[in-house]
Amino acid sequence: MQTAKMTKSWAEEILSWKYEPPYDFYNDHNKEESMQELLEEPYFAVLDDGGALIGFYCTGTSAQVPLGLFYGVYVEDSLDIGLGMKPELTGKGIGASFIRYILNQLKTTSSSVRLTVAAFNERAITLYERAGFRKTYMFTGEDMIFYVMAKTI
């Protein structure tokens, strides 16, 4: 795998991704605003060895669920990360290498990372727990429960 700075072409591809229920929660419905965020915030494309887009990750406030700020779940000093994988690749057993790759990219940036995940996404939660993340907080918003998970890297 390799990392590259997000481009407009990759951002357009990401915004066209469609996840099947219940993961359709992650489908993008505000393409103009999301395009701006993908290109202006710290977003990175993750490519396979042939240069094809397989996913992305972001860091900092872009990775936080805004309502979590209200609940104070992001007060500890930690690097927030967000990530997404191409829908056709999810559930295929490559998630562990995907998250491991991203964490290796961030080792020089921070000693602690944190992510926020929707509670219904048991597949991702299991992946994150196997990667060493532990649930630290839970909060509710917009009929959705979220877990904040953290890990020392």
Side-chain angles (χ1 to χ4, degrees), residues 9-39:
S9 176
W10 287 326
E12 288 171 344
E13 183 176 342
I14 290 166
L15 294 175
S16 74
W17 289 352
K18 297 292 180 231
Y19 297 91
E20 295 295 321
Y23 306 102
D24 56 340
F25 167 77
Y26 297 106
N27 291 345
D28 196 278
H29 302 289
N30 193 346
K31 298 202 184 306
E32 188 174 316
E33 183 179 312
S34 297
M35 175 65 77
Q36 184 175 355
E37 181 178 340
L38 284 165
L39 295 175

